[in-house]
Amino acid sequence: MNQKAEAGTNHKLQQTLLEYQAILENAPVGILVSRDLKVVSCTPRFSEIFGWSHRELVGQPAEVLYPDRADYEALGREAIPVLGRGDLLDIEWTMRHKDGRALRCHMRARAINPQNTAVGTIWIIEDVTQRHRDREQLQELLQRQQAILENALVGILFTREGRIVQCNPRMEDIMGWPKGMLEGQSEGVFFESDDDYAAFRAMVGQGLGAGELLDVEWLNTRHDGSKVWCRHLAKALPTRDGSRSTIWIVQDIKAQKDAQAALQQAHQELEERVEERTLELAFMNNELQNEIVERAEVERHLRAQEARFRDLSELSSDWFWEMDASLRFTEMSGGLYNTRLDPRRTIGKQRWELPIVGVSAEQWAEHRALLQARQPFRNFVFQMQTEPGQLRWFCVSGKPVFEDGVFTGYRGIGSDITNHRHAEQKIEFLAYHDPLTGLPNRVLLQDRLNQAIAQAERSRTGVALVFMDLDNFKNVNDSLGHAAGDALLGEVARRLRACVRDSDTISRQGGDEFVLILRELHGGESSLPVLTKVMEALQEPYLYEGNELSTSASIGIALYPEDGSDFEALSKKADMAMYRAKEAGRNTHRFFDEAMDQEAVEHLVMRSGLRRALEREEFTLHYQPQLEIASGRVIGVEALLRWRHPEFGLVAPGRFIPVAEESGLIVPIGAWVIQEACRQAAAWRQSGLAGLMMAVNLSAAQFRREGIEETVTRALSDSGLPAQWLELELTESILIQDAEKVLASVRRLKQLGVKLSIDDFGTGYSSLSYLKRFDIDKLKIDRSFIRDLASDPDDAAIVRAVIQMSHSLGLRTIAEGVETPEMVRQLQAFGCDEAQGFHYARPMTADELERYLAGLRSPAP
């Protein structure tokens, strides 16, 4: 009995395993099991997604599924904490097909046993690459539609459930509404009253519900209460939720209505006069002479009315036309002359006998079928030559005329829509080109790069994406104005065209940034002749209104396929290389390498962390003692910034200070350093540690921004520290940039009573002129001269000369980086006043410094 039960259990277990196996083999998503960073097993769908057979993939390191090791490690940093907690990892990531193509994947993963990660991890992968492409194409389509909407010559309106959800600027103009005020309004705002709106709804409601395209003329009410005749083309839009949505195309037809009204008035007046004369003839035959006089008056009045109507027609931008029953033109109003087309060319001819172009055989057949059926037609569009070599666009509409039920012909109106067509073409050009230079913009550049990559794949060649940034272009705009800058950009575009082939692409991204696509390359070195030619061409002088302009460029290059296979990856890496060229002194070029990518990631992490470091109170100050060499007495400290990063621990200043200066974050950070240093110095004075000078470094960025004096004043006021116990250390680069502005700031700081010193003297643009102009108190001799003081006679001579020069100018000197007793003895022999360095003490916290000073005061045992 037990054996039968056990056999039944085994059978059910085997059946369940077979069912699970069938599910895994037919799952629409890829499933993979990894262990020890290697592939243990995967489903057929997973192999299909990545192009590996199951036999090839099992045992492979998981890294082969990612574009590169850095990308793989980046995913690891995202995934490991989540999986270690036993949570579900749900993320999108770029992965790699076996043939090298980039795949955008949606990944879900969970550790089999979070307490023992060695058991492995289950990964569920869905290929969403096409979904991303569809999203980008949809965004491009929406941008094109928005450009058309904003520049249309007719009003366009979208409604949902009787409320306006969107309209274009032309709709606001027609109805006299302020920009942006129509959205959210009821459809009824365009009507004189609720009854007027209800009558309109009754006319169009049934047709909209049936999905028909409606064409209605209505006298609408503008925002200011005035009236305007409008032609409405409307159609219901399908919606997912079943809500009532419509699109309306609205045209101001006031001019046509006025002309029709004038014609109707003339006919009405004529009929009234004829009726009056008929009555008079019946009852006043004996007054024939008076009748003749009155009839002449009527005729004169009629001629005046006809002349008025003719003038109105000739001044209109549209024209009226008539056809007879044979569909031959019999009348053309003078408005046609405004199009430079002689109306006499059309009289007696049928429309298809005119020299019309731009109409297909199918369109002609459809138009003629409407005429044969005696049906009205609207917006028949065609082209005709008005002058030799000039084609203009026309649009005509017409309706049949019946007299006593007999068809007598057609009458209608025509419009010259050439300017409208040209505007549409201009809009399309501006959507893909830079308006200043006529070069392709970013949208067209991306398309050109995709074409170049596709061609390179077929021909097994390479492509270079070249980012260029003009050096010192801002100086041209600031000194000569934006007109000069625009002229220089145009000249740069012209010279670039002369440097590349027709198959290559030049693009302007805005500002002074240009991009080149160089095709059919065989290795990165094959682009060097073009780059050399570009750099030489840009440096040639250019005359603008008597001024000689010249420029150069910092150039970064990324190569396909070495550096990436799509626009996003290549542009990112070319941009990194361009900034590396700027750092190298400008007027040069750099090719991308992987080290740049790693530095960029670290730079981004540092920059992101710095933005939050002040809020999270992650900064702290360490203090290094400064001693008087002759007495050995501690006379001051230098405040040194430290960053306690929550992940990386204590970060060296050399890693984050350059990032802070480049991003501008050094300004708020520097303000915090001054505030905290003054607070600590005041606290020490209150606790009995008087006589300590607090030295604080200032960044050049703090001087370029306004308000350094206010920052120092506020720090002194808030802390209560006397100004004479604060020493601000300035670098030589601060003093030589905009010297007059800096001199004014330095004088205002001196008026506060603070001390000033020159940091790292001798390493920059050392000059006695600024020592004479700026009221400096102290020179700090850079550690690079102190390090080899005992072994390098040149360094010893420099240090001795700096000390002697300082004393002759009444300045004190301090040497930094003092590490041995021999350095101290030699500095003392030279007459140096102060020193700091590891020989005396390393930088320390405030508490450690207090213990250090207490130890110096305590007698030796």
Side-chain angles (χ1 to χ4, degrees), residues 236-376:
L237 298 176
T239 59
R240 294 182 179 178
D241 57 4
S243 61
R244 181 168 56 86
S245 297
T246 57
I247 177 173
W248 296 82
I249 299 177
V250 180
Q251 182 181 5
D252 182 355
I253 59 171
K254 181 178 182 300
Q256 295 94 311
K257 284 294 183 179
D258 288 346
Q260 292 172 3
L263 180 61
Q264 183 177 359
Q265 180 182 356
H267 283 294
Q268 182 177 353
E269 291 180 359
L270 177 60
E271 290 174 359
E272 290 174 355
R273 299 304 295 170
V274 170
E275 183 178 357
E276 290 175 1
R277 296 309 298 148
T278 302
L279 291 173
E280 290 175 1
L281 285 173
F283 296 100
M284 301 177 65
N285 290 328
N286 60 339
E287 298 183 1
L288 180 58
Q289 187 63 37
N290 292 337
E291 178 183 344
I292 294 173
V293 173
E294 289 182 4
R295 179 173 297 177
E297 178 66 19
V298 170
E299 291 175 353
R300 186 192 64 79
H301 183 67
L302 178 59
R303 286 194 298 271
Q305 292 286 16
E306 290 176 347
R308 187 183 308 124
F309 176 71
R310 184 169 55 255
D311 292 342
L312 179 63
S313 299
E314 290 175 353
L315 292 173
S316 173
S317 60
D318 297 336
W319 66 89
F320 299 95
W321 55 267
E322 290 186 2
M323 284 179 174
D324 59 18
S326 300
L327 303 180
R328 297 185 182 277
F329 288 106
T330 58
E331 292 290 338
M332 282 284 176
S333 70
L336 192 60
Y337 281 109
N338 296 330
T339 69
R340 300 179 183 178
L341 184 65
D342 189 347
R344 292 172 296 183
R345 292 173 55 187
T346 64
I347 301 301
K349 295 181 180 180
Q350 295 174 318
R351 181 170 285 116
W352 43 88
E353 294 175 344
L354 300 177
I356 289 176
V357 298
V359 180
S360 67
E362 292 78 9
Q363 290 172 319
W364 273 124
E366 180 181 356
H367 179 66
R368 295 182 70 167
L370 286 174
L371 297 178
Q372 293 297 330
R374 309 302 188 239
Q375 295 294 316

Side-chain angles (χ1 to χ4, degrees), residues 478-629:
D478 293 345
S479 59
L480 299 179
H482 288 283
D486 290 348
L488 179 58
L489 292 174
E491 177 64 15
V492 168
R494 187 190 67 78
R495 295 185 183 186
L496 290 177
R497 289 189 183 99
C499 293
V500 301
R501 301 163 298 181
D502 292 340
S503 60
D504 298 327
T505 296
I506 311 168
S507 170
R508 178 173 176 245
Q509 301 294 287
D512 58 348
E513 297 181 1
F514 292 83
V515 179
L516 307 180
I517 299 175
L518 305 180
R519 298 185 178 214
E520 300 179 7
L521 300 180
H522 298 279
E525 64 278 359
S526 61
S527 65
L528 292 177
V530 177
L531 298 178
T532 302
K533 188 176 180 181
V534 166
M535 296 179 71
E536 291 175 350
L538 293 182
Q539 293 180 73
E540 287 292 326
Y542 165 59
L543 288 177
Y544 174 77
E545 294 185 354
N547 297 294
E548 185 176 279
L549 307 180
S550 63
T551 187
S552 60
S554 299
I555 300 176
I557 310 100
L559 301 174
Y560 168 85
E562 296 91 326
D563 300 327
S565 58
D566 56 34
F567 180 81
E568 181 179 355
L570 290 172
S571 60
K572 173 184 174 183
K573 294 177 179 179
D575 193 51
M576 289 181 193
M578 182 185 72
Y579 276 98
R580 181 57 59 85
K582 285 180 175 291
E583 294 170 359
R586 303 175 186 270
N587 192 24
T588 187
H589 68 270
R590 288 291 184 271
F591 285 89
F592 172 80
D593 60 50
E594 291 300 328
M596 294 181 188
D597 205 7
Q598 296 173 1
E599 291 176 8
V601 171
E602 180 177 350
H603 185 280
L604 184 61
V605 171
M606 286 292 174
R607 183 166 182 166
S608 177
L610 282 172
R611 291 188 181 279
R612 301 187 296 270
L614 274 175
E615 301 172 6
R616 298 178 177 178
E617 299 182 351
E618 295 172 1
F619 289 120
T620 185
L621 292 183
H622 285 193
Y623 304 91
Q624 186 171 33
Q626 297 176 331
L627 291 87
E628 188 176 58
I629 295 178

Side-chain angles (χ1 to χ4, degrees), residues 364-555:
W364 273 124
E366 180 181 356
H367 179 66
R368 295 182 70 167
L370 286 174
L371 297 178
Q372 293 297 330
R374 309 302 188 239
Q375 295 294 316
F377 64 90
R378 293 188 180 276
N379 301 329
F380 182 69
V381 178
F382 57 87
Q383 285 182 283
M384 281 185 66
Q385 187 177 49
T386 58
E387 293 180 355
Q390 183 180 29
L391 284 174
R392 298 191 70 83
W393 287 92
F394 300 101
C395 176
V396 295
S397 299
K399 62 183 299 185
V401 179
F402 295 91
E403 295 181 2
D404 298 328
V406 177
F407 173 71
T408 61
Y410 270 86
R411 68 167 60 104
I413 60 172
S415 301
D416 184 342
I417 61 171
T418 304
N419 293 338
H420 177 67
R421 286 284 182 162
H422 289 170
E424 290 179 342
Q425 293 169 359
K426 184 175 181 181
I427 290 170
E428 183 176 359
F429 179 83
L430 292 177
Y432 295 100
H433 293 80
D434 168 46
L436 177 62
T437 62
L439 296 175
N441 62 10
R442 185 178 180 85
V443 176
L444 186 53
L445 174 72
Q446 187 169 353
D447 181 67
R448 294 278 182 85
L449 181 62
N450 292 337
Q451 295 179 20
I453 290 175
Q455 180 187 2
E457 289 180 349
R458 293 191 297 270
S459 60
R460 298 186 180 277
T461 56
V463 178
L465 186 64
V466 182
F467 271 38
M468 299 174 51
D469 192 83
L470 301 185
D471 299 330
N472 303 316
F473 177 74
K474 185 176 182 298
N475 294 339
V476 176
N477 273 341
D478 293 345
S479 59
L480 299 179
H482 288 283
D486 290 348
L488 179 58
L489 292 174
E491 177 64 15
V492 168
R494 187 190 67 78
R495 295 185 183 186
L496 290 177
R497 289 189 183 99
C499 293
V500 301
R501 301 163 298 181
D502 292 340
S503 60
D504 298 327
T505 296
I506 311 168
S507 170
R508 178 173 176 245
Q509 301 294 287
D512 58 348
E513 297 181 1
F514 292 83
V515 179
L516 307 180
I517 299 175
L518 305 180
R519 298 185 178 214
E520 300 179 7
L521 300 180
H522 298 279
E525 64 278 359
S526 61
S527 65
L528 292 177
V530 177
L531 298 178
T532 302
K533 188 176 180 181
V534 166
M535 296 179 71
E536 291 175 350
L538 293 182
Q539 293 180 73
E540 287 292 326
Y542 165 59
L543 288 177
Y544 174 77
E545 294 185 354
N547 297 294
E548 185 176 279
L549 307 180
S550 63
T551 187
S552 60
S554 299
I555 300 176

Side-chain angles (χ1 to χ4, degrees), residues 675-707:
Q675 190 80 22
E676 177 62 16
C678 290
R679 184 201 64 78
Q680 184 61 64
W684 280 334
R685 289 180 61 80
Q686 292 175 3
S687 66
L689 293 177
L692 286 179
M693 180 70 71
M694 176 62 73
V696 178
N697 287 281
L698 291 184
S699 166
Q702 291 174 275
F703 264 82
R704 285 194 296 269
R705 302 281 184 92
E706 299 291 340

Side-chain angles (χ1 to χ4, degrees), residues 8 32 91 113 153 170 215 229 248 312 401 491 530 652 658 837:
L32 174 140
I91 193 172
N113 183 357
L153 297 181
R170 178 55 182 156
D215 190 342
W229 272 102
W248 296 82
L312 179 63
V401 179
E491 177 64 15
V530 177

